[in-house]
Amino acid sequence: EAGRFKFTSSYRAYTIQEVKINPDVYALNGASLNAENIISSAVLKDSSTSPATVLATQSFNAVDTNGSTGGFYFTGLNVAVSASTSKTLTVNFVLATPSATNGTSGLRIIPALTYVKYMDTEGAVATITDTGATYAGNSTYVYRSVPTITKVALSGTTLTNGSAQDLFKFTVAAPSQGDVNIKQFKVDLGWSDGGHATPSDKLELNTIKLYKDGVDITTSVNIVDEDYGLSVKGATVLNGVTEGNSNIIVTWTGSTEDTISAGSSTTYTIRATPQGFNLTDAYTGSHSNSVALSFNTDAADCAFGVGSGSSDNWIGFISIGTTLTNILKLAVADGTSGSEAANLIWSDDSAVAHSAAVSGGTGDWTNSYLLQSSVSAQTWTD
């Protein structure tokens, strides 16, 4: 189901005879210009019945039809809207298998009602023609597979200096439709420094490790801070993240990635050693320090790469950052410097010869905008 359109009658009944739905006319609101390429057919339903009644099924028509070019044109309808009532018509899209190679993965579909032909009880026929801006539905994002992210609660809330502890744990699940690939993720840090013996003391997490399903894979990834892109795997003081850092960034190195097979899940655990906690403030005689770890989905969609051909549309490419090369970003074209930071860089594995390479990789990578996530913060105190 991609859109619902409510038709209301005021005082006089009428009959809907024709309807046209365009999936990409509302480009100003982010619709992909080739959105119809992923839609095998559109199904128009009368939602006032239970179950909904199928009125017609249509394929895309690129020919100009009564007021707007290109769309799913439903004719021969006989949908009665009684006086002073309303009728809701629903549009369902039957989707093809998305492919980043063919430019059909990550497409943004915004179904818009661009044309209506109706007849009143006197037999008078009228039409409504719209650009799509007035009667546009919500956005639908199309991927071959979409991950789900879930927090795994950890027991205990207290930190012990010098003792390695599991501090944050979450699961990434791939749907039955296909694999999901992970290249990079960020764990947010929230610090609360309630007082130290001296101003030079800092809260710190060092010797940071990554575990996958209970197995230490730290040597397979880079784990860095967000300010300088420096490794925070070190075991000595000030070789980890301190209260001046807001992220721990984990990246699979080179052209490697982590693949989560269709219908399965993987659990990642951040383990670290706390330092600088449990120190008493010299003035108040108390301490109340804490650190919270969390994952937050990206607040906005990534830019959509467009190639030289009409079908060369990509979600995004992996790229090194413009300043910190250890922290990857997303770019609209292969080989360009990444300009878009992402809390999660993942792929729906929809490109032919899928690759996680920074240069020469495939354009099936995106961020975590709109992903289903239930990853609340894990807070630790001293």
Side-chain angles (χ1 to χ4, degrees):
E1 183 177 316
R4 295 182 181 182
F5 301 93
K6 185 178 182 180
F7 297 80
T8 301
S9 163
S10 299
Y11 309 114
R12 176 179 290 187
Y14 62 87
T15 301
I16 302 170
Q17 296 181 319
E18 297 179 1
V19 167
K20 186 172 183 181
I21 304 294
N22 194 318
D24 60 13
V25 67
Y26 198 29
L28 291 178
N29 200 38
S32 303
L33 291 177
N34 63 325
E36 68 274 5
N37 291 352
I38 192 59
I39 304 171
S40 299
S41 61
V43 181
L44 186 68
K45 297 182 178 182
D46 181 352
S47 295
S48 63
T49 63
S50 182
T53 302
V54 175
L55 301 174
T57 301
Q58 290 291 342
S59 57
F60 185 79
N61 189 338
V63 180
D64 182 40
T65 49
N66 292 306
S68 64
T69 57
F72 297 92
Y73 189 38
F74 299 93
T75 61
L77 301 176
N78 186 31
V79 181
V81 184
S82 301
S84 302
T85 65
S86 63
K87 176 86 67 172
T88 298
L89 300 186
T90 301
V91 178
N92 286 36
F93 289 140
V94 179
L95 303 177
T97 301
S99 166
T101 303
N102 294 330
T104 58
S105 182
L107 293 184
R108 291 77 154 170
I109 301 172
I110 302 179
L113 181 67
T114 57
Y115 176 81
V116 178
K117 179 180 177 181
Y118 62 99
M119 181 178 66
D120 65 18
T121 55
E122 302 294 328
V125 176
T127 61
I128 299 174
T129 301
D130 186 70
T131 61
T134 305
Y135 309 114
N138 292 332
S139 299
T140 297
Y141 288 66
V142 181
Y143 295 98
R144 184 173 182 176
S145 57
V146 179
T148 300
I149 307 172
T150 308
K151 174 186 172 182
V152 178
L154 294 170
S155 60
T157 59
T158 305
L159 293 173
T160 302
N161 286 331
S163 176
Q165 295 178 239
D166 291 346
L167 297 181
F168 191 62
K169 195 172 187 178
F170 65 98
T171 295
V172 180
S176 58
Q177 288 87 345
D179 298 349
V180 167
N181 301 299
I182 305 295
K183 184 65 177 180
Q184 179 176 277
F185 65 82
K186 297 180 181 179
V187 174
D188 294 333
L189 300 169
W191 306 87
S192 178
D193 189 340
H196 278 116
T198 63
S200 61
D201 292 325
K202 288 186 176 181
L203 305 177
E204 181 180 0
L205 302 175
N206 61 28
T207 322
I208 299 176
K209 296 179 179 294
L210 178 68
Y211 284 74
K212 174 184 176 179
D213 296 327
V215 178
D216 187 350
I217 61 166
T218 306
T219 57
S220 301
V221 297
N222 287 330
I223 306 178
V224 302
D225 72 333
E226 85 286 357
D227 289 324
Y228 304 103
L230 298 177
S231 175
V232 291
K233 298 179 183 179
T236 58
V237 174
L238 298 183
N239 274 281
V241 288
T242 66
E243 55 191 276
N245 295 121
S246 58
N247 296 118
I248 297 171
I249 302 173
V250 177
T251 308
W252 274 260
T253 59
S255 60
T256 66
E257 61 193 333
D258 197 28
T259 298
I260 303 168
S261 300
S264 68
S265 63
T266 290
T267 298
Y268 300 111
T269 303
I270 296 291
R271 182 176 294 179
T273 301
Q275 302 289 354
F277 292 83
N278 294 292
L279 295 178
T280 303
D281 184 87
Y283 303 101
T284 65
S286 64
H287 58 82
S288 56
N289 307 302
S290 66
V291 60
L293 292 82
S294 63
F295 171 80
N296 294 289
T297 55
D298 292 283
D301 191 15
C302 66
F304 199 68
V306 179
S308 58
S310 60
S311 64
D312 295 334
N313 296 271
W314 301 287
I315 309 170
F317 292 84
I318 297 173
S319 175
I320 60 173
T322 53
T323 53
L324 302 177
T325 59
N326 282 343
I327 302 175
L328 301 179
K329 293 186 177 183
L330 291 168
V332 297
D334 183 30
T336 61
S337 295
S339 59
E340 294 194 44
N343 292 342
L344 175 69
I345 297 178
W346 70 277
S347 166
D348 65 353
D349 201 42
S350 65
V352 174
H354 165 82
S355 172
V358 172
S359 179
T362 47
D364 54 354
W365 295 91
T366 188
N367 67 17
S368 58
Y369 180 57
L370 296 182
L371 285 189
Q372 182 178 353
S373 173
S374 57
V375 190
S376 57
Q378 184 84 42
T379 303
W380 299 87
T381 60
D382 58 16

